[in-house]
């Protein structure tokens, strides 16, 4: 077999080294889009705006892999000087690097040179993010098509995100395959897998996801959140959490934790699933090998034509906040505690729903939760708590505080169908915010949470108004149309409020008069909802007048009741020229 020059070694085997070959798609600060190697991504991070992937949900798995390199490269250089328990030195290291404005190429190169061959997709002993020699047990199947690797392939009932030509599904370029490989380790669906040679967890010639464990890739179990700024260096730095601010003991220090290794730093796992895997630290968690995988190249070594995949390192979701920084947490129920055999209520990752904008799901990201016993507990994501730690520690440095004034809160996740066996939807949303919202005790946090809660109550009242108007018009018997009308109006209301919330949260700075800002916000919401409600009332076939003896409500009575509920949740609107405001708003 003859290999071409690109993607081949002198020994005739395929080769694609991620430290040398360009494979990560990026957008530069000046707008140009290009591909860079993993090494160049770090060295040039201050000139790059963002990672720009095949689909948005590729970005976070790639970002986490790069963060793992960053942890280990700087630990190799500075851990001997800092020691194992020196939070002050770690904070100083972070701020010094932040003020430098770019990563040190020598630190990056010294580390990557140690593991150069481990970043080759086709290294015979240490293929990147893969298990060498992995083969299916059945003689009937050599490998799966590359469609199993991609989340944007149009497949019935499985993939919904494609912009691909259905006829272009036979192979992938090596850069594409590398990006999808990282995505697969993070998000691969659960479901039945074909057994591989060496697998011992086989039932009726199938491999099933372990019960009470995360069957998808690790990120599939989380409501993922990370922070962004206007260049990749700053984004990586904001999510480079050197300390776990929870203060739970031995796991307080994330940077340089002994025994915490990335996959390329240790011997590859064998083909057998490990259903009781215990992560060793934040680096292990960022790069968790949830699958045993092998990419299959074509004869030229320049494209990937197939994939072999089965379950790998499987973990439980509970109490992983010791190492996982990119999700909020909640306390599980008593039934869950008993099911898992734990002495106390477990902390479980918060997940998002795809039908709600980020501002509607902001509360667990910025506000304390309950510990299951009626007491408040800081269950925010580690990245949020980490940046708060930075701001508090450096609160007297006005220049640094100005640099850390704003950030973008970004959420990304995949949503799965029944048994988590296929992708059904995806989440990608972001919100600009003043970093005062990352202070747990900031008055702005309480205001934002309160405004969102009151808005939810108000939109629920709007839905009730729509239901009553339909009942008055005699439409209740047509249930599908009845419920569809309610859903449409509520969706319309949230859409009308979306830009208002994004703007208000972004502009909510520490200099604002809290009470005045909240009241203005309430009034803007109030007017928007009156407009939406008035438009629907005017189009409704419900009678505008009914005799008192009838017992039913007219459209005017139903609308008036809705206005009263808005006054309850949002406060009355100020009158204009001596008139009462609510009804005048819709004229």
């Amino acid at each position: 077999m003859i290999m071409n020059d690109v993607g081949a070694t002198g020994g005739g085997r395929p080769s694609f080294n991620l430290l040398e070959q360009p494979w990560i798609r990026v957008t530069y600060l000046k707008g140009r889009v290009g591909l860079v190697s993993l090494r160049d991504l770090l060295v040039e991070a201050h000139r790059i705006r963002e990672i720009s992937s095949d689909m948005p949900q590729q970005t976070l798995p790639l970002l986490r892999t790069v963060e793992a390199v960053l942890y280990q490269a700087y630990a190799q250089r500075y851990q001997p000087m800092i020691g194992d328990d020196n939070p002050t030195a770690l904070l100083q290291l972070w701020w010094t690097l932040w003020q430098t404005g770019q990563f040190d190429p020598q630190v990056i190169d010294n580390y990557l040179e140690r593991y150069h061959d481990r970043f080759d997709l086709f290294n015979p002993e240490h293929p990147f993010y893969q298990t060498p020699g992995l083969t299916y047990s059945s003689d009937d199947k050599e490998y799966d098509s590359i469609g199993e690797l991609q989340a944007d392939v149009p497949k019935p009932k499985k993939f919904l995100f494609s912009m691909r030509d259905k006829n272009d599904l036979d192979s992938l370029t090596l850069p594409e395959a590398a990006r999808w490989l990282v995505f697969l380790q993070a998000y691969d669906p659960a479901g039945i897998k074909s057994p591989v040679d060496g697998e011992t967890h086989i039932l009726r010639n199938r491999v099933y996801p372990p019960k009470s464990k995360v069957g998808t890739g690790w990120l599939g179990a989380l409501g993922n959140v990370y922070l962004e700024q206007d260049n990749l260096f700053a984004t990586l730095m904001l999510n480079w959490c050197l300390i776990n601010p929870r203060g739970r003991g031995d796991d307080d220090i994330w940077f340089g934790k002994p025994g915490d290794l990335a996959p390329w730093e240790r011997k590859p796992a064998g083909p057998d699933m490990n259903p009781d895997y215990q992560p060793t630290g934040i680096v292990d968690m960022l790069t968790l090998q949830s699958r045993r995988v092998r990419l299959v190249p074509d004869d030229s070594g320049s494209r990937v034509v197939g994939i072999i995949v089965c379950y790998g390192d499987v973990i439980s979701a509970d109490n992983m906040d010791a190492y996982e920084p990119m999700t909020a947490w909640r306390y599980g129920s008593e039934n869950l505690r008993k099911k898992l055999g734990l002495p106390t209520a477990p902390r479980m990752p918060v997940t998002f729903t795809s039908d709600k904008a980020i501002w509607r799901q902001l509360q667990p990201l910025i506000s304390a939760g309950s510990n299951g016993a009626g007491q408040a507990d800081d269950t925010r994501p580690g990245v949020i708590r980490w940046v708060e730690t930075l701001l508090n520690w450096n609160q007297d440095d006005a220049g640094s505080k100005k640099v850390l004034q704003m950030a973008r809160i970004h959420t990304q996740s995949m949503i799965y169908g029944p048994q988590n066996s296929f992708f059904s939807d995806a989440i990608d949303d972001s919100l600009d915010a003043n970093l005062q919202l990352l202070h747990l005790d900031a008055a702005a946090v309480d205001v934002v949470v309160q405004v969102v809660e009151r808005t939810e109550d108000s939109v629920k009242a709007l839905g009730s108004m729509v239901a009553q108007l339909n009942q008055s018009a005699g439409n209740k018997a047509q249930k599908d149309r009845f419920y569809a009308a309610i859903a449409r109006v509520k969706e319309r209301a949230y859409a009308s409020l979306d830009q208002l919330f994004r703007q208000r949260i972004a502009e909510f700075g520490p200099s604002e008069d809290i009470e005045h800002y909240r009241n203005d916000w309430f009034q803007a919401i109030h007017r928007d909802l009156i407009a939406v409600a008035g438009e629907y009332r005017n189009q409704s076939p419900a009678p505008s007048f009914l005799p008192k003896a009838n017992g039913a409500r007219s459209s005017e009575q139903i609308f008036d009741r809705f206005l009263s509920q808005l006054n309850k949740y949002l406060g009355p609107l100020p009158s204009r020229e001596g008139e009462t405001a609510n009804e005048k708003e819709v004229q």
Side-chain angles (χ1 to χ4, degrees):
M1 181 169 57
I2 299 175
M3 303 293 178
N4 60 14
D5 291 336
V6 176
T9 67
R13 65 171 175 80
S15 177
F16 189 79
N17 194 293
L18 304 182
L19 303 183
E20 300 170 350
Q21 299 292 337
W23 64 285
I24 303 174
R25 182 179 288 118
V26 300
T27 301
Y28 288 89
L29 292 177
K30 294 183 178 180
R32 179 172 64 89
V33 176
L35 290 179
V36 296
S37 69
L38 179 55
R39 184 264 178 194
D40 289 346
L41 181 82
L42 280 163
V43 173
E44 299 291 320
H46 56 293
R47 298 189 178 97
I48 294 170
R49 177 179 299 134
E50 61 186 358
I51 295 173
S52 304
S53 303
D54 301 87
M55 65 181 291
Q57 290 71 23
Q58 263 188 5
T59 300
L60 183 55
L62 290 169
L63 192 72
R64 286 167 67 97
T65 301
V66 177
E67 291 282 5
V69 173
L70 193 59
Y71 275 103
Q72 301 304 73
Y74 275 86
Q76 176 180 284
R77 173 66 178 83
Y78 289 101
Q79 184 68 16
M81 293 180 287
I82 292 175
D84 293 335
D85 188 15
N86 195 339
T88 300
L90 290 176
L91 288 164
Q92 188 61 58
L93 169 65
W94 192 96
W95 275 109
T96 299
L97 183 54
W98 174 266
Q99 291 164 341
T100 301
Q102 65 183 80
F103 299 119
D104 187 336
Q106 194 63 51
V107 171
I108 301 300
D109 289 339
N110 286 345
Y111 173 75
L112 293 178
E113 285 172 6
R114 287 185 62 185
Y115 301 100
H116 179 271
D117 291 344
R118 306 294 183 91
F119 287 88
D120 191 332
L121 284 184
F122 304 112
N123 184 286
E125 297 179 356
H126 302 277
F128 179 81
Y129 267 34
Q130 298 166 78
T131 300
L134 196 68
T135 56
Y136 281 132
S137 301
S138 173
D139 294 335
D140 297 333
K141 181 166 70 169
E142 183 180 356
Y143 53 79
D144 287 310
S145 74
I146 53 93
E148 296 297 324
L149 184 63
Q150 303 161 269
D152 68 342
V153 173
K155 183 178 293 187
K157 297 183 180 180
K158 190 168 185 181
F159 299 113
L160 305 178
F161 320 107
S162 180
M163 297 181 67
R164 290 180 175 273
D165 184 336
K166 290 186 178 182
N167 298 317
D168 185 26
L169 302 175
D170 294 333
S171 64
L172 291 171
T173 66
L174 301 185
E176 285 179 309
R179 296 192 296 268
W180 284 117
L181 172 64
V182 176
F183 173 90
L184 178 137
Q185 288 285 13
Y187 283 120
D188 188 48
I192 299 170
K193 307 290 186 184
S194 299
V196 295
D197 287 342
E199 175 65 73
T200 63
H201 303 81
I202 301 174
L203 181 62
R204 295 187 293 273
N205 201 34
R206 296 177 175 182
V207 182
Y208 294 86
K211 294 181 179 180
S212 302
K213 301 292 178 70
V214 177
T216 66
W218 173 238
L219 296 194
L222 311 180
N224 298 290
V225 59
Y226 62 102
L227 300 176
E228 291 179 305
Q229 280 206 332
D230 292 335
N231 68 74
L232 185 60
F233 167 79
T235 294
L236 288 167
M237 288 293 291
L238 288 182
N239 297 282
W240 192 40
C241 311
L242 305 188
I243 300 170
N244 181 4
R246 287 195 68 87
R248 292 189 180 275
D250 294 340
D251 297 320
D252 289 358
I253 303 296
W254 273 335
F255 178 84
K257 179 179 172 61
D260 183 21
L261 303 176
W264 54 82
E265 295 178 317
R266 56 180 184 258
K267 182 180 178 180
D272 201 9
M273 172 174 57
N274 185 348
D276 299 306
Y277 187 77
Q278 295 296 320
T280 56
I282 190 171
V283 172
D284 191 2
M285 188 68 82
L286 291 172
T287 57
L288 187 68
Q289 301 293 280
S290 65
R291 296 296 183 263
R292 307 292 185 238
V293 189
R294 183 168 69 86
L295 300 178
V296 180
D298 64 4
D299 289 343
S300 72
S302 61
R303 298 185 71 87
V304 168
V305 295
I307 181 175
I308 298 166
V309 58
C310 201
Y311 287 105
D313 297 331
V314 179
I315 66 175
S316 298
D318 58 279
N319 297 327
M320 286 297 169
D321 55 326
Y323 300 140
E324 175 51 63
M326 294 184 174
T327 188
W329 301 86
R330 61 177 177 81
Y331 278 83
S333 66
E334 178 65 13
N335 287 339
L336 181 60
R337 182 195 69 77
K338 292 179 179 179
K339 181 179 179 181
L340 296 176
L342 299 173
T344 58
R347 292 179 298 279
M348 304 298 293
V350 169
T351 57
F352 301 128
T353 59
S354 57
D355 62 344
K356 291 184 178 181
I358 182 175
W359 55 267
R360 294 179 62 193
Q361 305 181 81
L362 195 59
Q363 184 272 329
L365 305 185
I366 63 173
S367 170
S370 169
N371 68 356
Q375 298 174 339
D377 190 18
D378 189 354
T379 51
R380 297 173 300 162
V383 291
I384 302 291
R385 292 182 281 106
W386 162 247
V387 173
E388 180 185 30
T389 300
L390 291 171
L391 293 170
N392 288 339
W393 188 75
N394 215 54
Q395 58 186 341
D396 295 329
D397 189 330
S400 296
K401 282 192 70 176
K402 184 177 181 181
V403 172
L404 274 177
Q405 183 177 0
M406 296 289 295
R408 188 173 304 110
I409 301 173
H410 203 136
T411 56
Q412 283 188 342
S413 293
M414 298 297 292
I415 307 298
Y416 301 86
Q419 287 77 55
N420 291 329
S421 59
F422 61 89
F423 297 128
S424 64
D425 209 340
I427 293 171
D428 179 60
D429 200 357
S430 60
L431 183 73
D432 291 331
N434 190 291
L435 289 186
Q436 70 164 329
L437 284 179
L438 306 193
H439 287 281
L440 185 60
D441 58 353
V445 171
D446 292 335
V447 169
V448 171
V449 171
Q450 181 190 38
V451 171
V452 172
E453 288 176 345
R454 297 286 182 87
T455 300
E456 296 283 1
D457 290 337
S458 299
V459 175
K460 191 179 296 182
L462 174 63
S464 177
M465 184 205 79
V466 172
Q468 292 173 48
L469 287 174
N470 275 270
Q471 289 172 356
S472 180
N475 293 336
K476 187 176 182 181
Q478 302 175 3
K479 289 186 176 180
D480 290 344
R481 294 181 61 184
F482 178 77
Y483 291 115
I486 297 172
R488 281 197 304 271
V489 174
K490 292 174 72 173
E491 184 178 350
R492 164 81 175 83
Y494 283 122
S496 72
L497 294 171
D498 189 72
Q499 189 56 42
L500 169 66
F501 268 80
R502 294 177 188 276
Q503 180 179 346
R504 282 279 170 169
I505 290 172
E507 294 176 352
F508 202 171
S511 62
E512 297 292 342
D513 181 317
I514 296 292
E515 191 72 19
H516 180 73
Y517 200 83
R518 180 185 58 186
N519 290 340
D520 279 354
W521 199 346
F522 275 149
Q523 290 170 22
I525 297 166
H526 203 146
R527 292 189 175 97
D528 267 12
L529 292 182
I530 287 177
V532 173
E535 180 181 342
Y536 186 82
R537 179 202 59 177
N538 294 339
Q539 297 173 356
S540 170
S544 58
F545 173 78
L546 288 172
K548 290 185 178 180
N550 184 279
R553 290 179 177 175
S554 68
S555 62
E556 294 304 314
Q557 290 172 318
I558 294 169
F559 189 74
D560 285 344
R561 184 174 188 277
F562 168 69
L563 296 179
S564 296
Q565 288 179 300
L566 287 190
N567 286 340
K568 174 184 175 182
Y569 296 132
L570 304 173
L573 288 171
S575 61
R576 293 191 279 190
E577 297 180 0
E579 300 173 332
T580 57
N582 281 73
E583 185 63 25
K584 301 303 178 184
E585 291 290 331
V586 297
Q587 293 183 358

